[in-house]
Amino acid sequence: MDLFEKKFSESMSSKVSLLNRITHYVVNRKGKQMRPMFVFLIAKMTGDGQVNERTYRGASVIELIHTATLVHDDVVDDSDRRRGFFSLNALWKNKIAVLVGDYLLSKGLLLSIDNGDFDLLRIISVAVREMSEGELLQIEKARRLDITEEVYFEIIRQKTATLIAACCAMGARSVMASDEEVEKMRKFGELIGTAFQIKDDLFDYGNEHIGKPTGIDIKEQKMTLPLIYALNNASPKESKWLINSVKNHNKDKQRVKEVIAFVKENGGLDYAVVKMKEYQQQALQLLETYPDSEYKESLILMVNYVIARKK
């Protein structure tokens, strides 16, 4: 990871001092860095413990694209904080934030093109397309709040799981694993990415110290799994009250508290936890065919961390 961070910083460099100042700010406020870890661990597990320059480039591309999407997300959501720090748009305004996001995106694509990593480029390009589609599907559904569990899982598969799936496919592909193995690792990433998003949804109902305040999804009219379950199992009267609350009273703190209490009392959280653990178990099953190694052990730890984390 130390060597990766050095290479990643180099991959961001520009002749424009303003850009360098901003990207330096971004690099120094990094998150958990789970995505590059997945790239390296999968590469080592599927490639006899070895990584190569392609693996480092693959991890850098993923992190560049991921950072670009976060910068753009903050503009879309009009958010002024990210991981406890000011977001780029809060410090440098939307126009600069959008341009920086575009710059990071193009840097990621060129890193692959300049080195002839067209197989890796294909993996990440599919992920970017799906992430955009997932975000737009969510916006479309938020307007009418007519989201089913099936649509919810499609949204989070595209929005969140697809990038972690790309990390895992990228790791395997970087060490020239077979097509079957690359697909298996992509599926592994998709499963764990889905569990990761359900865990994030659960944070919206918790009281623990986390990166976002409680009830934020309700305020943003996002239909999450606990809420969908509660809606599907509510009486017509309760259902009408819930939809009205989310649609028209989502800024009313007391009403949001009542919605959270209703979802908890009607088994929404318990149901989401069961679903999350199902995805976790399916992901762990895909690792069973691999011989024991420190890389496999680390991946198991990461899978378990995803659902046990506190923020």
Side-chain angles (χ1 to χ4, degrees):
M1 287 304 291
D2 289 342
L3 185 54
F4 161 71
E5 283 188 20
K6 187 167 173 285
K7 289 175 184 283
F8 178 56
S9 294
E10 285 166 6
S11 71
M12 280 188 170
S13 65
S14 157
K15 293 189 180 79
V16 180
S17 60
L18 173 64
L19 249 177
N20 285 335
R21 212 157 62 239
I22 294 171
T23 53
H24 179 75
Y25 180 82
V26 169
V27 169
N28 287 335
R29 277 145 195 81
K30 57 187 175 290
K32 304 176 197 67
Q33 291 200 294
M34 278 175 49
R35 289 160 190 83
M37 281 185 216
F38 272 123
V39 176
F40 291 120
L41 289 171
I42 296 281
K44 287 192 168 190
M45 188 179 73
T46 56
D48 300 322
Q50 300 299 310
V51 295
N52 53 38
E53 281 303 313
R54 268 166 58 85
T55 316
Y56 281 103
R57 286 197 297 270
S60 291
V61 169
I62 287 278
E63 201 64 350
L64 282 163
I65 303 292
H66 176 56
T67 308
T69 60
L70 293 183
V71 170
H72 282 166
D73 277 354
D74 286 339
V75 175
V76 170
D77 297 339
D78 201 18
S79 176
D80 59 1
R81 308 290 285 185
R82 167 70 64 182
R83 294 170 184 148
F85 296 96
F86 284 115
S87 58
L88 291 195
N89 47 306
L91 291 172
W92 284 284
K93 304 292 180 247
N94 282 350
K95 185 176 181 179
I96 288 177
V98 170
L99 292 170
V100 169
D102 291 346
Y103 173 78
L104 295 171
L105 195 64
S106 62
K107 271 289 203 183
L109 302 180
L110 282 167
L111 186 60
S112 297
I113 292 166
D114 291 346
N115 290 283
D117 298 330
F118 297 107
D119 50 350
L120 303 186
L121 182 61
R122 183 178 187 84
I123 290 169
I124 194 63
S125 299
V126 168
V128 172
R129 182 196 69 202
E130 294 219 308
M131 285 156 71
S132 308
E133 283 180 354
E135 196 71 57
L136 286 163
L137 177 60
Q138 184 172 51
I139 291 167
E140 179 192 327
K141 293 296 177 185
R143 286 182 180 157
R144 287 170 44 204
L145 301 185
D146 61 345
I147 184 167
T148 61
E149 197 173 305
E150 190 183 352
V151 171
Y152 164 82
F153 277 111
E154 181 56 17
I155 288 171
I156 67 168
R157 184 191 69 75
Q158 291 185 314
K159 262 190 67 178
T160 305
T162 195
L163 191 61
I164 296 178
C167 297
C168 297
M170 192 86 93
R173 180 60 82 201
S174 74
V175 292
M176 300 304 190
S178 66
D179 289 351
E180 293 77 20
E181 199 164 24
V182 171
E183 174 53 27
K184 185 178 176 181
M185 291 298 96
R186 189 202 67 75
K187 186 67 189 168
F188 167 79
E190 192 176 278
L191 290 164
I192 197 56
T194 304
F196 183 92
Q197 185 56 52
I198 297 172
K199 180 69 174 181
D200 253 18
D201 290 354
L202 286 164
F203 282 144
D204 207 45
Y205 294 86
N207 301 315
E208 295 171 68
H209 181 67
I210 48 162
K212 64 176 188 181
T214 333
I216 202 94
D217 289 336
I218 296 165
K219 290 186 186 96
E220 291 175 3
Q221 298 188 349
K222 284 181 184 165
M223 298 291 282
T224 58
L225 190 57
L227 183 58
I228 293 164
Y229 179 83
L231 255 176
N232 289 344
N233 292 277
S235 67
K237 189 183 172 187
E238 290 168 333
S239 182
K240 194 177 172 185
W241 174 82
L242 267 177
I243 289 175
N244 184 32
S245 301
V246 176
K247 217 169 194 169
N248 304 313
H249 302 280
N250 52 30
K251 301 286 189 285
D252 178 341
K253 284 184 180 172
Q254 186 52 38
R255 192 74 169 254
V256 169
K257 271 185 187 167
E258 287 167 16
V259 170
I260 289 172
F262 181 87
V263 171
K264 283 180 177 174
E265 284 159 20
N266 288 271
L269 300 198
D270 297 337
Y271 178 77
V273 168
V274 167
K275 280 289 183 187
M276 176 179 70
K277 288 183 176 171
E278 279 175 18
Y279 281 98
Q280 175 210 22
Q281 290 309 314
Q282 285 176 49
L284 289 172
Q285 278 167 13
L286 289 178
L287 297 180
E288 282 175 5
T289 53
Y290 289 92
D292 289 340
S293 67
E294 57 185 318
Y295 323 117
K296 177 181 169 180
E297 193 58 39
S298 295
L299 280 165
I300 291 168
L301 278 172
M302 280 186 75
V303 169
N304 293 333
Y305 164 74
V306 160
I307 73 160
R309 66 200 167 98
K310 298 281 185 257
K311 63 177 184 175

